[in-house]
Amino acid sequence: MSVNNKLQVNLEENLALEKWDNNDLAKVRIRLLRGHLDSVNSCQFIEDADIVFSASSDCSVKLWNFRTGESIKSFNELHNNTITQAHCKPDGSRFLSCGLDKKLKYVDVETGKCILDKNHTDFLTCCRISHNGKLISVGSDLNNSLTIYDVESGDTVCELKDYHKSTITSIKFSPSDDKVITTSRDYTAKFFDLVTSTNTISLEGHINVVADCDITNDERNCATASWDKTIGVWDVSTGMYRSKGPTVLKGSHDGSVSCCQFSNDGLLLVTGSNDNSIVVWDLVNNTQKLKLQGHTDWINAVNFSQDQKWLLSCSKDKTIRLWNLEESDKIPMVLESKKAVRVVKCTTCSKPFSLSQLEAFQDVTVCVFCRLNSPEKSWLIFNEADE
């Protein structure tokens, strides 16, 4: 039986068993997934958030039923030491894992067979599959190297030893798959251009390890999470970061910030910390929207669902948590922080943008980027009374 079919059977049989782990007074409903025997280092929504994917220091990779929290499949013999990171294709067909056993594995979920098995000479710290599924990348510890493979042929596309001055801590492909973004213990993040085979952007400014990064779908902003307890949001599309540096989000985490991810629309950012807390940031106002607490150890990874109704987190406390954010806007603290800001869709490029409520006119229908392209044109729609 395929993973999809098995999931459908489980959903139909167990829908009535769905339950929540929080009490009725909780503002954000949660569900705990328990089954790993050690730190859970990776977590991810797949199959349109119907399945949860995770990997652990207990050397296992698991698939979970979203509705019931039950484990539906487990891969237990791929690695013989800590799995430092794993990443699954969104359709749930294949996943990539790496670990302290110096092995990189690309696995078919249905059969459990390794499509690609690469042995390295160094401890592997992070890995990623490109959005188009054609490339995989891995970062290492002692050699500070970035290696990229072609999935179909298994050939090395590039191997950059000492790409950073210290351990590579995370890897992400840009949405267009033409760049690889890495972060490091050397306090920096870098963009490697796969077309020109050059380092095109270096983000410097943190005063401690940069643990993770993410980039918005429109590739305008890049976020970096650091052990200096701050998050940098860098405008990499205009190059404004070169003169002004990043927008710095701080004050909500008491410990090192270990992970981050943008929401699908780029208006929210979620971060996890070694203070055991998760913060959802409102990027319109650059303020904290929500602080989620419940994990009892370091947060290792966070992940928004595509519809932004759910948040996934995993921790050194051996658990995975599902957070329901559907009602979060009704929490008094969230309402107060909105500051009369609305989000609308640009009529020119269709991208969402924030808009303050204005007294003089009813609406602005075009985002600032499209307005800058045609500065001579008025983009205001006035009320009839104002005309």
Side-chain angles (χ1 to χ4, degrees), residues 110-156:
E110 186 66 35
T111 64
K113 294 181 179 179
C114 273
I115 301 169
L116 206 59
D117 190 347
K118 296 289 185 178
N119 293 319
H120 287 245
T121 60
D122 194 6
F123 301 120
L124 303 181
T125 54
C126 49
C127 60
R128 200 78 176 180
I129 306 169
S130 64
H131 298 83
N132 60 20
K134 295 181 179 180
L135 300 173
I136 56 176
S137 59
V138 62
S140 78
D141 184 8
L142 303 177
N143 291 332
N144 316 324
S145 66
L146 167 65
T147 308
I148 301 170
Y149 296 101
D150 180 277
V151 169
E152 186 173 350
S153 66
D155 294 338
T156 301

Side-chain angles (χ1 to χ4, degrees), residues 358-377:
L358 303 171
E359 296 178 359
F361 51 86
Q362 178 184 351
D363 212 348
V364 175
T365 61
V366 178
C367 71
V368 64
F369 295 95
C370 293
R371 276 180 270 157
L372 288 173
N373 288 333
S374 301
E376 74 286 350
K377 184 175 180 180

Side-chain angles (χ1 to χ4, degrees), residues 34 44 75 78 125 138 188 196 263 265 304-305 332 355 369:
R34 297 182 178 92
Q44 182 186 345
F75 302 84
L78 294 173
T125 54
V138 62
T188 71
T196 62
S263 59
D265 61 13
F304 274 114
S305 62
L355 180 69
F369 295 95

Side-chain angles (χ1 to χ4, degrees), residues 82 92 152 175 268 379 386:
T82 294
E152 186 173 350
L268 299 175
W379 296 107
D386 296 327

Side-chain angles (χ1 to χ4, degrees), residues 8 12 32 42 46 69 82 102 116 131 136 141 168 174 227 234 243 255 269 273 275 281 283 331 334 339 357:
Q8 186 60 39
E12 293 172 356
L32 268 67
S42 296
I46 59 173
T82 294
K102 306 178 182 179
L116 206 59
H131 298 83
I136 56 176
D141 184 8
I168 295 179
S174 64
W227 288 8
W234 311 74
S243 58
L269 180 74
S273 169
D275 65 8
W281 302 86
L283 296 182
I331 297 174
V334 176
K339 297 181 180 178
Q357 290 183 356

Side-chain angles (χ1 to χ4, degrees), residues 90-367:
D91 64 6
S93 61
R94 295 174 178 179
F95 70 83
L96 183 68
S97 61
C98 66
L100 298 185
D101 59 1
K102 306 178 182 179
K103 295 178 180 180
L104 180 69
K105 306 266 189 176
Y106 191 54
V107 180
D108 182 274
V109 171
E110 186 66 35
T111 64
K113 294 181 179 179
C114 273
I115 301 169
L116 206 59
D117 190 347
K118 296 289 185 178
N119 293 319
H120 287 245
T121 60
D122 194 6
F123 301 120
L124 303 181
T125 54
C126 49
C127 60
R128 200 78 176 180
I129 306 169
S130 64
H131 298 83
N132 60 20
K134 295 181 179 180
L135 300 173
I136 56 176
S137 59
V138 62
S140 78
D141 184 8
L142 303 177
N143 291 332
N144 316 324
S145 66
L146 167 65
T147 308
I148 301 170
Y149 296 101
D150 180 277
V151 169
E152 186 173 350
S153 66
D155 294 338
T156 301
V157 174
C158 66
E159 182 177 12
L160 306 170
K161 291 186 177 179
D162 292 318
Y163 179 60
H164 279 273
K165 295 178 181 178
S166 189
T167 302
I168 295 179
T169 52
S170 75
I171 292 179
K172 298 283 171 63
F173 282 92
S174 64
S176 55
D177 285 330
D178 61 347
K179 292 176 284 291
V180 177
I181 310 163
T182 54
T183 61
S184 170
R185 286 178 175 264
D186 66 7
Y187 306 177
T188 71
K190 289 185 174 184
F191 283 58
F192 182 76
D193 191 302
L194 291 170
V195 178
T196 62
S197 297
T198 57
N199 170 214
T200 55
I201 295 176
S202 292
L203 303 178
E204 301 176 358
H206 285 291
I207 57 173
N208 207 330
V209 171
V210 183
D212 196 15
C213 65
D214 196 26
I215 189 168
T216 52
N217 287 331
D218 59 10
E219 301 192 22
R220 287 177 177 175
N221 291 313
C222 177
T224 50
S226 172
W227 288 8
D228 64 14
K229 304 180 184 179
T230 73
I231 304 99
V233 180
W234 311 74
D235 181 350
V236 293
S237 64
T238 65
M240 192 69 70
Y241 71 91
R242 291 188 176 92
S243 58
K244 294 189 175 181
T247 298
V248 178
L249 307 177
K250 62 181 180 179
S252 291
H253 287 299
D254 297 322
S256 302
V257 187
S258 52
C259 49
C260 63
Q261 193 204 31
F262 284 107
S263 59
N264 195 42
D265 61 13
L267 300 178
L268 299 175
L269 180 74
V270 60
T271 55
S273 169
N274 293 353
D275 65 8
N276 309 343
S277 74
I278 298 162
V279 172
V280 178
W281 302 86
D282 170 5
L283 296 182
V284 174
N285 299 303
N286 295 321
T287 57
Q288 173 186 310
K289 178 178 180 178
L290 282 175
K291 189 165 188 175
L292 305 173
Q293 295 176 304
H295 280 293
T296 59
D297 214 328
W298 297 359
I299 312 297
N300 289 324
V302 286
N303 186 227
F304 274 114
S305 62
Q306 286 292 304
D307 61 12
Q308 301 175 196
K309 294 180 180 179
W310 293 90
L311 182 62
L312 190 63
S313 62
C314 62
S315 168
K316 198 174 178 181
D317 68 10
K318 308 176 187 179
T319 71
I320 304 158
R321 284 181 177 243
L322 284 158
W323 310 81
N324 186 293
L325 303 182
E326 287 183 276
E327 304 296 319
S328 63
D329 282 343
K330 297 179 182 178
I331 297 174
M333 181 180 66
V334 176
L335 288 171
E336 185 178 349
S337 70
K338 283 184 175 294
K339 297 181 180 178
V341 171
R342 294 178 293 134
V343 175
V344 296
K345 183 180 288 188
C346 176
T347 56
T348 299
C349 68
S350 298
K351 291 185 171 63
F353 68 100
S354 60
L355 180 69
S356 296
Q357 290 183 356
L358 303 171
E359 296 178 359
F361 51 86
Q362 178 184 351
D363 212 348
V364 175
T365 61
V366 178
C367 71

